[in-house]
Amino acid sequence: AQTVTQSQPEMSVQEAETVTLSCTYDTSESNYYLFWYKQPPSRQMILVIRQEAYKQQNATENRFSVNFQKAAKSFSLKISDSQLGDTAMYFCAFMKLYMIKAAGNKLTFGGGTRVLVKP
Amino acid sequence: NAGVTQTPKFQVLKTGQSMTLQCAQDMNHEYMSWYRQDPGMGLRLIHYSVGAGITDQGEVPNGYNVSRSTTEDFPLRLLSAAPSQTSVYFCASSSDGGLFFGEGSRLTVL
């Protein structure tokens, strides 16, 4: 079974600065996806960024970027130019890529990191 | 574009009562799933479906039942509610990689 660990329960950052969230995972699989989800106080789960394990290039989405280290099983998220609207819980998640449809798309989540952006 | 719609958003039950959380998606996704979120933890998979008529258990299936009669709908049934089922429930759908979540349903069992 896969496990996902987020070692930082809470982080704070000043507006316009950069914050990096850490995530490590344990798996024996070679084909998988990794995700970061944002959960603001509204409770909605919002997909921030996705990384395919077979891709060496780190994914980026506007102010959000990842540092994917496959050998180290590490997947950190960097938020640049932090904005007040970035205040939220952030969850790292793992999904194994199955070759058969019946296995489904199952996410394994870390425990989350609460990010507070201060004005 | 509604995406994934869950109802109700809030519900209070007494121990032993039954209820159904509704989930509908309008994206024609084959894959749908239910997760629960407890304080201090990430989401955990309850049940999932890879298409109409096909369901299977996730990590924490006990006390829950699901069915998938259409591509659009995937209801979650609590057969006899227990206080341990107090949680926030999320429905999600996906076509390939990356799940889209509903807004969540907060359930309290007294």
Side-chain angles (χ1 to χ4, degrees):
Chain A
Q2 290 76 32
T3 59
V4 178
T5 303
Q6 295 179 245
S7 59
Q8 304 150 313
E10 194 166 317
M11 300 188 74
S12 63
V13 59
Q14 291 296 131
E15 197 174 6
E17 294 188 345
T18 295
V19 63
T20 299
L21 312 182
S22 66
C23 172
T24 59
Y25 58 95
D26 185 23
T27 184
S28 59
E29 305 296 333
S30 57
N31 296 319
Y32 51 88
Y33 287 143
L34 293 164
F35 305 88
W36 280 98
Y37 278 89
K38 170 185 177 182
Q39 187 178 41
S42 67
R43 199 172 67 197
Q44 179 74 41
M45 292 290 289
I46 302 166
L47 178 62
V48 174
I49 200 164
R50 181 177 90 173
Q51 175 79 43
E52 291 89 340
Y54 64 86
K55 289 186 177 179
Q56 292 186 341
Q57 186 173 5
N58 290 323
T60 62
E61 283 290 342
N62 300 316
R63 298 181 295 107
F64 298 89
S65 61
V66 298
N67 183 4
F68 174 47
Q69 301 290 327
K70 190 172 184 178
K73 297 180 183 175
S74 170
F75 184 60
S76 62
L77 174 71
K78 184 170 77 173
I79 307 174
S80 304
D81 186 25
S82 297
Q83 300 176 0
L84 297 178
D86 296 333
T87 292
M89 283 288 289
Y90 287 81
F91 292 96
C92 179
F94 172 100
M95 184 174 76
K96 176 183 173 181
L97 272 177
Y98 290 91
M99 300 305 294
I100 55 173
K101 172 185 170 182
N105 296 338
K106 306 170 194 173
L107 286 176
T108 300
F109 283 86
T113 297
R114 185 176 303 278
V115 173
L116 175 63
V117 180
K118 298 179 178 179
Chain B
N1 188 359
V4 180
T5 302
Q6 288 181 234
T7 56
K9 290 186 171 44
F10 300 93
Q11 183 72 49
V12 178
L13 289 177
K14 294 181 180 179
T15 297
Q17 287 184 317
S18 63
M19 76 155 298
T20 300
L21 296 175
Q22 301 290 345
C23 177
Q25 54 97 1
D26 61 1
M27 297 173 281
N28 202 33
H29 286 167
E30 291 186 295
Y31 180 81
M32 296 185 74
S33 52
W34 277 101
Y35 290 81
R36 61 178 286 172
Q37 183 179 27
D38 299 305
M41 301 178 71
L43 282 67
R44 292 182 293 167
L45 181 64
I46 304 171
H47 283 286
Y48 68 96
S49 168
V50 298
I54 307 170
T55 64
D56 205 345
Q57 297 181 349
E59 181 184 355
V60 287
N62 293 339
Y64 307 95
N65 197 10
V66 292
S67 61
R68 184 95 179 271
S69 57
T70 66
T71 299
E72 294 78 19
D73 300 300
F74 189 47
L76 177 73
R77 298 181 184 86
L78 280 70
L79 308 174
S80 177
S84 62
Q85 294 178 303
T86 293
S87 189
V88 178
Y89 292 85
F90 287 92
C91 179
S93 75
S94 171
S95 58
D96 60 344
L99 272 62
F100 296 92
F101 287 87
E103 293 182 350
S105 300
R106 181 176 294 278
L107 176 66
T108 301
V109 183
L110 303 175

